[in-house]
Each structure stands twice: as structure tokens, then as C-alpha cells.
Amino acid sequence: MSAPPSSRGAPITDRRQLVEYLESGCKPVADWRIGTEHEKFVFRLDDKSPVPYAGPGGIGAILGEFERRFGWEPVREGENTIALTKGMANISLEPGGQFELSGAPLHTIHETCAEVGQHLAEVRAIGRDLGFGMLGLGFNPKWKRADIPWMPKGRYKIMREYMPKRGGLGLDMMTRTCTVQVNLDFASEADMVKKFRVSLALQPIATALFAASPFTEGKPNGFQSFRSHIWTDTDPDRTGDLPFVFEDGFGFERYVDYALDVPMYFAYRDGRYLDASGLSFRDFLEGRLSILPGELPLMTDWSDHMTTMFPEVRLKKYLEMRGADAGPWGRLCALPALWVGLLYDSTALDAAWDLVKGWSSEDRAGLRRDVPRLGLDTPFQGGTLQPIARQVVEIAREGLRNRARTAGMGDDESHFIEPLVAIAETGRTLARELLERYETEWAHSVDPLYDAYAY
């Protein structure tokens, strides 16, 4: 969430309301939209160091320039601006100062790419004057966790204290990772189930195609997507590939059961985040939450709780695709193109389901385990993952052509997926490209990366 939630509204008195919350996301095809989000690291141009919140040229000052120059509206927590809004879009901060654009719900990838381009133009204009740059990769290539400043957001303090109790890499996830994701709609419960299953099965393909986190603290780390690996040691209660999604009878109710069993992080009351880490939302429904005795949850509590689950695909009132590393700006358009092509055309969705429906839970678990390290070279069904990736990208490209959403010169959306066509054909991911340059022209330094790949 970009802003502190509201703590007003009617209490939840029936579990059915939680199911209806998800059901309310069902939309006719004409109302389907594309919501793209991407994060990037902010660094000082002079020494490549991370940028703290406070001080001249700090994250707070950067947010202030967006407000002053480009008409963004501030969202404050206490005295600090911690987010910005403009129309249906917002800018927010991840715990380590990663700068996130959560785009407006748009009709086409053409509009998405224009929105990204406008945002990055604003970033560059402010960056020239304040002496910072921004970089899109899956994991911070240079700096130690101790070097990363924390942002002044109440929920992050609670998460910071709780994360180490559940996994070894949760704080790295919070402070040193960046992703690009897309949020997509569904027409009905059955449509949601089919899209959830297809996208969950194919999430490792996206991880492999977008792999861009091969460095840790200036050295190769042995992974193509270290960001993806980090999620396997963050918090087993709220991460993973959700095998129950593929079981008979899966639907909104089953997801509610899953969400109710995920321990809470916080509740928000009277402008403050209350530490509810490890407590049960089921107890909250019965008025037995120890930090709010006798109180029943509000729908805002439920919507907040839904944001504290981090599976590879997340269901809210839409489906969020969460498997990809951040990368150069063209790939910020390719990620929504991939999933829109697969999920928003019925012929493509059927073809994608035919591809994955025979995969076993062991197949899916093996891909989730091995792809972060091996990428497109991951062994799969007697070969490697690369031929499967070629099929997936081609299905998506045809889906975009079938959508026939044109703009400007009459081009459809399929050209946005071309960077992935090249990766699937050659096997040369951004991670491989970075490692090659590190070994050759960069002379075993990651510093040139900041100049070569900054936005």
C-alpha cells in the first residue's frame, strides 16, 4: 500500500464477507485493465551509494520535487511524506528506499509503456538536479544490507523485527530487492481459477526470462535471479507456489482459508500501526485479538492483511504476477505484455493451460527450486526450460496479436514482447549479459553497471 490505511468502516461480522471481498473483483471483459508496478534502486551519482530518506537530495527531498514540479499529491505518515498520488497512479517507498511506481489501471500495453516513459522522464529530470540515478535490477549489486537506509514507515518497523524470526533472508528481501509485476483482472471465479493455475505454473518461466540479479556485494553470487531465491528463505507462512491452487474445488473460499491461516503483521488504528506480528486473523474475527480485545476487524484490516502475503501469484480483487526481477525500461513493458498475452486472450489462455495442465506438483516445485540458480538452463522433462520458454513467449505473442489493440502507427501490442523473444531464442538473459560484461570489459567490477544500465 502506498499510504497508511483508513481505520474506519463497519466491522466484519461474517466470514462470508471476506469471500465477497474477493468476488467483487469479477469484471466483464470490457472492464479488464492492466496495472503495472515496478521498483528501482536510488543511488548517488558520485559514489553509487544508497540514498537515505532525510537530508538534501534524500528520498524525502526527491518526493518533494515530484510534488513541486509534476503535480503529485503527498501522502504523509506523521511528518514524513511516504508516498505520492496522481489520479489512479501512486509512487511509494519500499523499506530500503526502493522507489516504486504503481501505475494506473490502463487499457493497453501502449498506455502502460507511455506511463512508464513519462515517469522515467520525470525521474531523470529530478535526478540531474539532485545528483541521483535509478537502477532496475532484481538485487542490489554492490551494497551490504548494513549500508541500506530504512524508510520511516510504521509497518516496516514491525516487519523488520518479525522477519528474522521466520527466515534468514527476509531483511534482504525488504531492503535489497526490486521487482516488476502486473495486476490483471478476471471475469468470474472459474476464470480466476484458470488464470491463477496457468500463471502460477508459468511463474518460473517469467523468473528465468527476467533473471537480473547475479551479483551480491560486488561479486557473482551463483544465481541468475538471487531475488527469486531470497523468497524461498523469507517466511514459509506467506510465500511459495501454493499447491492447493491446483486441487479440485479451489476458489475464492479456499483462498480465504489460506489467508486466514497466514499470521498477521499489524493492525492500523488512530494513525498508528499496532504490532500484531504472529497473531491470528481468525481470532480477530471472533473479537479475541490480544492487542484489540473485543474489537472486530474492519474491511480495511482484511485488505491490509491480504497485502502481507507474498506467494508467487497473489490474489486480491485481481491477480498479481510476482515472479520477475526488475530490469531496463523496455522490460518494464515486456512483463505486462507477457502476461496480458497469456491471460487476456481466450485462445492463448487455453494453449497455456494445455501446456501446463499435465505438470505434477513435483514438476512445479522443482522449477521453483532450481530456476533462480539455473534460469533457462534448468533441466525439465528430459530437456531444459528454454524450449518451454520459447513456446510460452510465442503463445503470448499470438495472444497480443489476437487482442489487436493498436496505437499510433497501427502497431498492435506484440512488439512489446520482442525482448523476451530474443532471450528465449538465445538463452542470453540479462543476468548472463551482466556476468559476461563483469568478466570482460568491466574487469571484475560492478561499478560500471550503474552507468550502463541506469534509467
Side-chain angles (χ1 to χ4, degrees):
M1 297 290 289
S2 64
S6 168
S7 54
R8 293 175 298 201
I12 298 169
T13 57
D14 187 335
R15 176 181 170 280
R16 178 66 199 169
Q17 291 170 262
L18 309 182
V19 179
E20 290 171 351
Y21 174 88
L22 297 178
E23 288 176 338
S24 69
C26 297
K27 297 180 176 67
V29 175
D31 291 340
W32 288 358
R33 297 293 183 267
I34 303 161
T36 305
E37 305 179 24
H38 77 272
E39 302 160 356
K40 51 264 187 204
F41 299 109
V42 189
F43 65 93
R44 296 207 185 281
L45 293 175
D46 55 3
D47 61 2
K48 311 297 188 285
S49 64
V51 177
Y53 182 86
I59 297 290
I62 294 170
L63 293 173
E65 288 301 296
F66 272 90
E67 177 187 352
R68 185 176 68 83
R69 298 189 194 192
F70 301 114
W72 290 80
E73 294 290 328
V75 178
R76 294 188 172 88
E77 186 174 314
E79 297 179 353
N80 298 311
T81 297
I82 49 90
L84 301 165
T85 64
K86 183 192 282 188
M88 296 290 286
N90 64 70
I91 292 170
S92 58
L93 304 177
E94 292 299 299
Q98 304 97 311
F99 213 78
E100 179 176 7
L101 174 70
S102 297
L106 301 171
H107 292 81
T108 70
I109 311 296
H110 305 290
E111 293 173 344
T112 290
C113 219
E115 177 186 58
V116 169
Q118 175 64 33
H119 172 69
L120 294 181
E122 294 177 5
V123 163
R124 288 190 295 272
I126 298 172
R128 281 192 298 269
D129 294 338
L130 296 191
F132 71 84
M134 293 196 186
L135 176 71
L137 288 180
F139 190 77
N140 191 303
K142 181 177 174 68
W143 299 98
K144 297 178 180 179
R145 187 201 301 166
D147 297 323
I148 308 298
W150 284 79
M151 297 298 105
K153 295 177 69 171
R155 64 185 287 171
Y156 293 159
K157 181 179 185 296
I158 293 168
M159 293 170 68
R160 181 180 185 177
E161 293 171 356
Y162 181 71
M163 282 281 186
K165 301 174 184 177
R166 302 300 302 135
L169 297 175
L171 298 182
D172 291 296
M173 178 278 292
M174 294 180 73
T175 59
R176 295 202 284 177
T177 64
C178 283
T179 187
V180 53
Q181 70 179 53
V182 65
N183 308 323
L184 298 176
D185 291 315
F186 43 80
S188 63
E189 184 172 48
D191 186 46
M192 179 278 293
V193 170
K194 188 171 185 179
K195 287 174 175 172
F196 207 152
R197 289 171 173 168
V198 165
S199 57
L200 203 48
L202 292 180
Q203 214 60 221
I205 304 289
T207 298
L209 289 167
F210 285 85
S213 42
F215 301 116
T216 299
E217 295 168 18
K219 304 292 184 184
N221 54 32
F223 289 85
Q224 292 202 42
S225 177
F226 189 56
R227 182 205 61 83
S228 182
H229 170 70
I230 281 171
W231 282 110
T232 68
D233 190 15
T234 291
D235 185 342
D237 293 328
R238 63 189 78 240
T239 61
D241 56 359
L242 308 186
F244 66 84
V245 169
F246 297 89
E247 295 174 359
D248 291 344
F250 172 70
F252 293 127
E253 288 209 31
R254 180 65 184 85
Y255 195 85
V256 165
D257 287 338
Y258 156 72
L260 286 172
D261 287 330
V262 172
M264 294 177 65
Y265 275 154
F266 58 81
Y268 186 79
R269 291 292 184 276
D270 301 321
R272 294 189 305 118
Y273 286 94
L274 308 180
D275 189 346
S277 55
L279 302 182
S280 166
F281 207 96
R282 292 185 187 275
D283 288 345
F284 204 179
L285 283 174
E286 297 174 8
R288 295 190 288 109
L289 194 69
S290 59
I291 61 169
L292 292 170
E295 279 199 39
L296 294 174
L298 311 175
M299 196 53 71
T300 51
D301 293 314
W302 179 241
S303 63
D304 288 340
H305 183 57
M306 299 290 283
T307 71
T308 68
M309 286 157 265
F310 310 118
E312 293 295 283
V313 177
R314 180 163 65 186
L315 174 62
K316 293 197 282 194
K317 293 183 181 181
Y318 43 82
L319 288 166
E320 299 180 346
M321 310 297 133
R322 297 173 48 82
D325 288 358
W329 87 268
R331 299 182 200 201
L332 304 181
C333 306
L335 188 278
L338 174 68
W339 291 113
V340 167
L342 290 169
L343 303 184
Y344 272 12
D345 173 69
S346 60
T347 301
L349 182 60
D350 287 342
W353 176 238
D354 286 343
L355 181 66
V356 306
K357 65 184 180 183
W359 295 1
S360 66
S361 57
E362 291 77 15
D363 288 334
R364 295 190 298 270
L367 290 176
R368 178 67 190 91
R369 180 188 65 243
D370 297 337
V371 161
R373 185 179 295 276
L374 300 174
L376 293 172
D377 295 328
T378 300
F380 189 66
Q381 297 184 341
T384 70
L385 197 59
Q386 188 174 347
I388 307 293
R390 288 195 200 105
Q391 288 180 263
V392 171
V393 171
E394 187 54 36
I395 291 169
R397 183 158 62 172
E398 286 303 307
L400 294 170
R401 287 170 176 163
N402 292 342
R403 267 170 56 84
R405 302 296 177 87
T406 60
M409 305 292 290
D411 294 337
D412 64 30
E413 297 164 308
S414 62
H415 70 277
F416 291 113
I417 208 170
E418 288 304 317
L420 304 186
V421 175
I423 292 169
E425 282 297 322
T426 65
R428 191 168 186 261
T429 60
L430 181 56
R432 287 198 178 281
E433 178 183 316
L434 293 171
L435 288 166
E436 289 171 11
R437 299 186 75 176
Y438 173 85
E439 294 289 347
T440 56
E441 65 190 281
W442 294 347
H444 297 97
S445 172
V446 298
D447 285 4
L449 186 158
Y450 287 84
D451 299 316
Y453 291 90
Y455 294 118

